[in-house]
Each structure stands twice: as structure tokens, then as C-alpha cells.
Amino acid sequence: MGRYIIKRTLMMIPTLVVISIVSFVIIQLPPGDFLTSVVANLEDQGQTVDSATLAALQARYGLGRPVHVQYWRWVSGIILRGDFGRSFRYNRPVADLIWSRLGLTFVISFTTLIFTWVVALPIGVYTAVKQRSVGDYIATFIGFIGLAIPNFLLALVLMYIAFRYFNQSVGGLFSPDMIDAPWSFAKVVDLLNHLWIPVVVLGTAGTAGLIRIMRANLLDELKKTYVMAARARGLSEWTLLRQYPVRVALNPFISTIGWSLPTLVSGATVTAIVLSLPTTGPLLIEALKAQDMFLAAAFIMMLSALTVIGTLVSDILLAIVDPRIKYANRG
Amino acid sequence: METNTILDVRDLNTWFYTDEGIVKAVNGVDFSIPESTTVCVVGESGCGKSITAQSILNLVEPPGKIVSGSITYRHNDGREVDIVQLKPKGRDIRAIRGKEISMIFQEPMSSLGPVNKIGDQLVQTMLLHLDIDKDEAVKQSIALLDRVGIPKAASRMDSYSFELSGGMRQRVMIALALSCNSRLLIADEPTTALDVTTQANILDLLKELQTDYSMSVMFITHDLGVVAEIGHEVVVMYLGQVVERASVEEIFERPLHPYTEALMKSIPKLDFDSHEKLSSIRGMVPHPFARPPGCPFSDRCDYCMPEKCLTANPPLEEVRPGHWVRCVKYESMGEV
Ligand SMILES: Nc1ncnc2c1ncn2[C@@H]1O[C@H](COP(=O)(O)OP(=O)(O)O)[C@@H](O)[C@H]1O
Ligand code: SF4
Ligand SMILES: [Mg+2]
């Protein structure tokens, strides 16, 4: 197992390198660079930029040098000093801007993932075991509705419900008086009070999808001889389900850690704008619009890295749950 | 029920309620299994052998259902229980499954848990039914794997089924079936999916174990050659019914039912001098919804007498001591 984990982790490195290159290249693509925008912006406001400042800035970021030199400066700054460059728009280090938002994005994504699992697993198992029962039909119906409702609509509806019936400040992840407060127990409770809306909004479609997957997989497994063989040994239904077919049918659940992160993160953007959440999505869009290149690059890279790490985690979990996978990867 | 009988099946009906109609997979089956005896159930594919076996452990799944009849199991202490009356998921039937009656299946490739260790499955079964602790269960599991001919048994405890060949998996299934010293082993075509050499090895093993443990075995096969090798008694099934029942010697010396006779003719002989052509049975097992009227075998039978055979299904009658047959040829003939 240890060897497998090390191998998979090492295999992640080239992917991360490619991601960093692609992120950097993408933000170089639009014509001009942020210094052009800076100058244009400042001049719009009637200020003049003296050539000394311009030259200093250019030297600092190595602008005007070959792309690979710029890339190297950027990436080595990140690796060696955790320096993601400066956001010109906010005139602050990028690192100051991204961590809190990345953190919250991660918290929302992760909570959503857990929510999705906790709801989808038992319902998926139930609908497969009680196939064609009333409960199965009800779950299927609700599931299709969940898949069909657009996230922004669900967000608006839940916001209305929270506002109208729970008397809660809507939008954002904190109450107004908590936003700038230092972390405390009360602030965590406040966060949880606000968190459920985006979690339900982001998780509904995924939950409905996972229920379908779990149901279909488990139905396939339940037909196999090993289930009847285990039953023929006298195992109780519950033990049997848990230790045999559900374990096999669980694979796609774990794979979702990998592929659901990008979906969650991108789905989160629209939702975050509707709910005005201080996550990465809205800030990334602003950064892209303003050609705030280091900020945009940092977001793109960190979100992609999150996906790669998610895939790694799901691969490792899969190998733990399903020994056949480790076996196939042996050597 | 006679005192040396361990299982008695009476007028068993197991039907499938499909969208197209009712499939009478088992349609009035009678037979019994004596102690320490191997009873072979023979018949072509689709005759209801597997569903009969599943009924005995009350394992039939919807849309299938045991509709009527009784399956009486006689415990070691003489206590009798009708399995049909037990709840399919209840405690009582679970205490019989794996403990009193165990089962091995046709598909060794898929009968073991795909993500479970061999040892875990053995230990789990033992802890479920036997009054022993885990260390003891591990010890007994290793001894058992060794007994069924698995090399390096101790190191195989941590293996998964996908690491084993078909023959080895079937040996593990046999070990699982033996793990709680069950008194009756149901083997549903346990060698059909294996190559010829492995098939012979597994048959030898089962034969040996049956003697050693003096178990009763219900051995399902479509191959009369196998019956000759391991059977004591034979039950011939056709379209969900028993058409003939007798001891192995009797069946091979004096096959009475035209279906049994036809099955006999289709046994391949390893005799190169004889140029006798291997015959297969004319026609096919009819579709469950296209059952011929009267005797179910009438559309394939060389002796069919339309006025008699197509009017009513003949009853199963004892025409010689211990030799039962369902065919108008022997009706009211007394002893043959
Ligand atoms: N799940 C099912 N649904 C409908 N019919 C079934 C089902 N399982 C078995 N049958 C029918 O029951 C009959 C007997 O099957 P089976 O006992 O498996 O035959 P055998 O083991 O002798 O080959 C067959 O005609 C088959 O079509
Ligand atoms: S009853 Fe008639 S049709 Fe059926 S097996 Fe006997 S002779 Fe053939
Ligand atoms: Mg069968």
C-alpha cells in the first residue's frame, strides 16, 4: 500500500508542472499585459506613471524577458517563497488574497461532497434493495427534480426560505457583524448557519446523480452469485449488503472525489455570485476581466491542483476499498 | 419421514411471476435425501434443478416464489422443520444456511466476494455459526484450506479471489461449505465451468470429502457420466418435474423413462473401438410457456402415444422397489 501511495504521489508531479505551465501561458494569451492596463487605468484617472516606476515594475516581474524566464521567476517564487506575485488591482500580494477564498472554496466543496455522500449512499442502497417499491419511485422522482432545477434558481428559493422563515441574513457565508470578527466558536456556528444553502444548492444535482449511479451499480452487483452465496452461508441481509455488494458498488462514489471537485468549483462560481459568497469564483472572474495576471494564474493553478489532488485522494481510497485496483497497478 | 432421511421435498412448486406470465420452474417436485448419501439431480439446462436447490435454502428471489409444498429438514437430534414455512430473511432459516445445509455454485469465478479476503470469508462464516473465537477460526480455516488441497494454505488466507484460478476458487467455495460441518451439501453443477482435468480433481475431492465427513450431498449435474462416478441415488428432472428416481445401479442397468434413456445415449464414451454415434436428444427443452399438453416430454419422445400421453400428465409411480417413474408406458403395469 505504502509503495502504491508513493508511486501515485510521484506521478502527480509532472501533472502539476504541466498545470503550472498551462496556467501561466493562458494568462499570457490576451494582448497586452497588466502593466499596459495599469498605465491605461491610471491615465484614465488623470495620473501619470513615471518611467522609473514602470521600469522598476517591469524589472520586478521580468516583463519583456522571454516567456520561459518569466515562468521560471513566477514558479520558483511560489515554490521557494510561497510568493504568488502581486495583484496589481488590489495592490497586495496574491497570496494574501487567495488563501482565505481558497480555504472557503475548499470548505464548501468538501462539505458539499460529504453532504452528497451522506444523502446519496443510503438512498442509493435503499432504492436498489427495495427496487420498484413506493420509496424507490419517490426517491427517483425527487432525484429527477433535483437534476433538473438550475442551481441559481435553487439558490434563490433557498435564500428566500432562509430569509422568510429562519429570519437569517441572506447571501454571504457570515452575518454582517461576523465578517470581520476573528475566528471564534460563534463565528463557526454562524458559518454553519450560512453554509447549508450553498451546500444544498451545489450538492443537489450531484446527489441525485450519485443516487442513480449507486442504484444501478448495486442492482448489477445484487444479481451476482457471490451475493446469493453469502446469503447461503447464513449472513444477515445487513451484514451481507455492507460487506459484499455495497463495497463493490462504492467505487464510483470514491471516483467522484476526483471529478466532482472541478464541477463543484465551477458550479460554485455561478452560485457564489448569486449568493455573494466570498469564494474563489467571483474573484477569478474579476481577475480575468482586469488582466490581473498573477491573481488569475494563482487561482487557475490552485483550483487545477485541487482537482489533481482530489483525483489522487480518490485513487488511494479506491485502492483501499477495492484490492483489484492495486493489483492491476502492481509492478 | 423415515429416520435416516435428512431432507424430504414434497410437491414443491416454485414459480416465477414474470411480466409475460407464470414460469413454473419447479412444478410438483418430490424426492428425499437420505443420510450420508449422494443424490444426483440430472436434467438438461432449464429443467428447474437450480431453482429446486435454491428453494431448499429458501433463497429464491422475486419474481420467484415458493408457492406450495414442503421441504422438511431433519436435525441431528431428530427435530424436523419445514423450510418453506420459514421467513426467507429470518433468523431461523439463517441458522440453517451454512450451518446445517451449505451450497456451492456453478460459477466459481463469481461466487466469492470480489473485494473480500478468502480468510475473512471463512472466519466470518465460522464465527457466525460456531462457538469459537477468532484465533481458533483462523486456525481451523487454514486447516480446511489445506484439506481441500490449496497449496500454502496459510498464505492464501490474505488472498483475494481474483488471484486464484477457477479450480482454486471452487476449492475455496468447498472449504466455505465445509467450514461449519454442515450435514447436507448442495453442489449446483460445481464442475461445469471448469476444464476437464480440474473437473476430475474437484469431483475426486468431493467424493473423498463426502466419505470422510459422511455428509449428504445433493449433486446437480447435466452429465450422467458424473452421476456414475459419484452418485448413490439419482433424480431425473424434466421441465420442473421429477420424471424418474432410483439408485445409480438401477438407473444405469434399467433406465425406464424415455428421457433418461435419451440422456444415457448422449453420454460420450471413451471407447475408440465403438463406432456408435453419439446421439443427442431430439428437439429442445420447450419454452416454459410452450409446455406440451399431458406428458411434458411428449413432443420429444420416441414412444409417445398421442391418445394417452397428450391427455394427462402421468403420475410418478413406484414400478420397482425404490424405482419411481412418470410415464404411461409403465402405468398400472405393476412391477416391471
Ligand atoms: N429470475 C427468473 N425469472 C424467470 N424465470 C426464471 C428465473 N430464474 C429461472 N427461471 C426459469 O426457471 C426455469 C428453471 O431454471 P433453473 O432451475 O435455473 O434450471 P436448471 O438449473 O435446471 O438449468 C427455467 O425455465 C428458467 O427460465
Ligand atoms: S408418457 Fe408418453 S410421451 Fe411421456 S415419456 Fe412416457 S411415453 Fe413418452
Ligand atoms: Mg442450473
Side-chain angles (χ1 to χ4, degrees):
Chain A
M1 200 68 217
R3 267 192 58 204
Y4 177 78
I5 294 176
I6 291 171
K7 201 176 115 197
R8 292 308 308 239
T9 313
L10 290 179
M11 276 165 63
M12 197 174 78
I13 292 175
T15 319
L16 288 175
V17 169
V18 171
I19 284 175
S20 70
I21 293 174
V22 171
S23 310
F24 194 76
V25 168
I26 285 176
I27 53 156
Q28 300 282 344
L29 288 179
D33 54 45
F34 78 86
L35 281 187
T36 349
S37 326
V38 165
V39 174
N41 258 337
L42 290 175
E43 281 171 355
D44 273 356
Q45 295 160 18
Q47 299 180 21
T48 51
V49 183
D50 62 89
S51 54
T53 317
L54 205 57
L57 281 169
Q58 257 174 346
R60 171 155 189 192
Y61 295 117
L63 290 169
R65 303 231 197 136
V67 173
H68 67 269
V69 177
Q70 291 189 43
Y71 167 75
W72 179 247
R73 268 176 173 258
W74 177 68
V75 88
S76 59
I78 294 173
I79 296 172
L80 300 177
R81 283 170 272 122
D83 173 9
F84 287 80
R86 267 184 100 77
S87 160
F88 96 86
R89 195 160 172 274
Y90 293 88
N91 200 18
R92 284 165 68 187
V94 167
D96 289 357
L97 289 165
I98 59 169
W99 285 120
S100 69
R101 289 190 175 233
L102 272 177
L104 286 174
T105 303
F106 181 77
V107 166
I108 291 189
S109 301
F110 188 74
T111 317
T112 307
L113 202 63
I114 300 290
F115 165 79
T116 311
W117 275 27
V118 166
V119 177
L121 179 68
I123 298 182
V125 171
Y126 174 85
T127 53
V129 173
K130 304 269 179 202
Q131 195 195 0
R132 303 209 184 100
S133 67
V134 179
D136 180 21
Y137 289 128
I138 293 174
T140 306
F141 179 70
I142 295 178
F144 279 127
I145 291 181
L147 277 174
I149 296 183
N151 277 0
F152 76 87
L153 188 62
L154 194 56
L156 291 173
V157 170
L158 288 181
M159 264 163 53
Y160 178 76
I161 292 175
F163 175 70
R164 186 86 210 312
Y165 299 101
F166 295 101
N167 225 351
Q168 198 180 313
S169 68
V170 290
L173 279 178
F174 302 101
S175 310
D177 52 325
M178 281 290 184
I179 292 179
D180 293 318
W183 280 104
S184 64
F185 180 71
K187 186 166 178 173
V188 172
V189 172
D190 187 57
L191 172 65
L192 291 180
N193 271 331
H194 286 78
L195 199 58
W196 70 270
I197 296 182
V199 164
V200 171
V201 170
L202 292 173
T204 303
T207 308
L210 258 188
I211 290 175
R212 302 311 295 167
I213 294 175
M214 185 68 197
R215 181 177 181 277
N217 277 330
L218 191 55
L219 280 176
D220 272 354
E221 292 304 318
L222 288 174
K223 285 193 208 105
K224 297 192 178 156
T225 313
Y226 72 85
V227 176
M228 184 177 281
R231 200 173 282 138
R233 294 199 288 274
L235 296 186
S236 69
E237 270 323 276
W238 169 236
T239 314
L240 184 156
L241 278 175
R242 202 162 37 87
Q243 297 188 358
Y244 295 84
V246 169
R247 271 190 67 185
V248 182
L250 211 54
N251 284 5
F253 258 68
I254 296 170
S255 316
T256 50
I257 302 179
W259 59 252
S260 71
L261 278 180
T263 331
L264 282 175
V265 168
S266 56
T269 307
V270 177
T271 314
I273 292 171
V274 176
L275 294 173
S276 44
L277 302 179
T279 53
T280 49
L283 196 60
L284 172 58
I285 287 192
E286 272 177 39
L288 287 171
K289 282 199 293 205
Q291 286 200 36
D292 194 351
M293 61 185 279
F294 290 116
L295 184 57
F299 274 140
I300 295 176
M301 190 177 71
M302 292 309 283
L303 294 178
S304 313
L306 201 60
T307 310
V308 175
I309 292 168
T311 312
L312 174 76
V313 171
S314 72
D315 279 358
I316 290 172
L317 284 179
L318 266 181
I320 291 172
V321 171
D322 190 339
R324 292 172 296 183
I325 288 166
K326 197 173 27 148
Y327 190 80
N329 280 292
R330 201 171 278 176
Chain B
M1 191 161 151
E2 288 172 42
T3 48
N4 72 336
T5 303
I6 174 163
L7 191 84
D8 190 53
V9 178
R10 282 279 155 259
D11 195 26
L12 180 68
N13 279 278
T14 305
W15 297 354
F16 285 84
Y17 294 84
T18 68
D19 293 338
E20 293 81 36
I22 299 176
V23 178
K24 299 181 177 176
V26 179
N27 190 14
V29 162
D30 291 281
F31 70 97
S32 58
I33 300 175
E35 267 174 11
S36 315
T37 305
T38 300
V39 174
C40 288
V41 177
V42 228
E44 284 161 290
S45 169
C47 285
K49 307 182 299 292
S50 297
I51 303 301
T52 303
Q54 290 172 21
S55 301
I56 293 176
L57 279 176
N58 214 332
L59 287 172
V60 181
E61 289 180 65
K65 190 178 183 316
I66 302 181
V67 183
S68 64
S70 68
I71 300 169
T72 311
Y73 174 73
R74 190 186 170 84
H75 282 272
N76 211 6
D77 57 12
R79 205 155 37 89
E80 290 180 2
V81 50
D82 182 3
I83 289 169
V84 174
Q85 301 304 324
L86 303 180
K87 276 204 258 67
K89 288 179 181 169
R91 195 176 288 275
D92 294 337
I93 185 67
R94 280 194 276 122
I96 291 177
R97 293 178 187 156
K99 171 81 179 87
E100 304 290 329
I101 307 175
S102 52
M103 186 158 172
I104 58 180
F105 296 82
Q106 181 171 346
E107 309 86 11
M109 302 321 264
S110 60
S111 340
L112 289 161
V115 297
N116 310 81
K117 290 180 182 175
I118 304 297
D120 289 350
Q121 294 175 73
L122 277 161
V123 169
Q124 178 183 50
T125 313
M126 290 186 183
L127 292 181
L128 189 65
H129 293 300
L130 304 178
D131 193 15
I132 56 177
D133 63 13
K134 184 151 184 224
D135 289 345
E136 180 59 25
V138 169
K139 230 171 71 193
Q140 289 190 17
S141 298
I142 296 172
L144 205 52
L145 287 177
D146 193 51
R147 177 68 191 83
V148 297
I150 289 180
K152 291 188 274 169
S155 69
R156 278 305 180 194
M157 290 287 283
D158 286 332
S159 294
Y160 294 93
S161 74
F162 61 82
E163 297 173 281
L164 305 178
S165 67
M168 284 299 148
R169 291 185 206 193
Q170 201 57 295
R171 283 173 198 269
V172 172
M173 282 307 289
I174 294 172
L176 273 166
L178 296 177
S179 62
C180 302
N181 307 310
S182 59
R183 294 169 66 226
L184 171 61
L185 170 67
I186 301 175
D188 188 356
E189 310 214 28
T191 60
T192 306
L194 304 172
D195 65 76
V196 187
T197 323
T198 316
Q199 199 167 336
N201 292 338
I202 297 284
L203 275 185
D204 286 344
L205 174 67
L206 282 172
K207 204 167 147 183
E208 197 181 299
L209 292 169
Q210 190 272 325
T211 327
D212 282 8
Y213 291 73
S214 63
M215 282 185 296
S216 297
V217 177
M218 172 177 164
F219 193 99
I220 297 174
T221 175
H222 57 257
D223 181 355
L224 273 174
V226 172
V227 175
E229 198 174 325
I230 69 161
H232 300 128
E233 298 195 10
V234 184
V235 173
V236 183
M237 277 186 75
Y238 189 75
L239 267 192
Q241 295 186 332
V242 174
V243 294
E244 186 164 8
R245 245 167 73 192
S247 69
V248 169
E249 297 77 19
E250 180 77 13
I251 283 277
F252 280 90
E253 267 169 41
R254 212 177 276 101
L256 295 181
H257 197 281
Y259 180 57
T260 316
E261 202 180 305
L263 282 176
M264 291 286 179
K265 287 202 189 116
S266 62
I267 306 176
K269 294 196 180 63
L270 288 176
D271 179 1
F272 294 102
D273 290 341
S274 84
H275 293 285
E276 211 181 313
K277 244 186 80 192
L278 183 67
S279 68
S280 60
I281 310 173
R282 182 160 63 85
M284 288 188 322
V285 180
H287 189 271
F289 297 131
R291 225 175 240 280
C295 167
F297 191 56
S298 55
D299 63 331
R300 304 170 74 188
C301 179
D302 291 335
Y303 308 92
C304 178
M305 298 162 269
E307 66 290 352
K308 274 178 153 183
C309 303
L310 299 185
T311 47
N313 188 14
L316 186 64
E317 287 187 312
E318 189 170 25
V319 294
R320 286 167 55 81
H323 195 152
W324 299 68
V325 64
R326 187 193 287 279
C327 173
V328 294
K329 276 172 75 187
Y330 309 98
E331 228 168 37
S332 41
M333 278 176 63
E335 297 221 334
V336 179

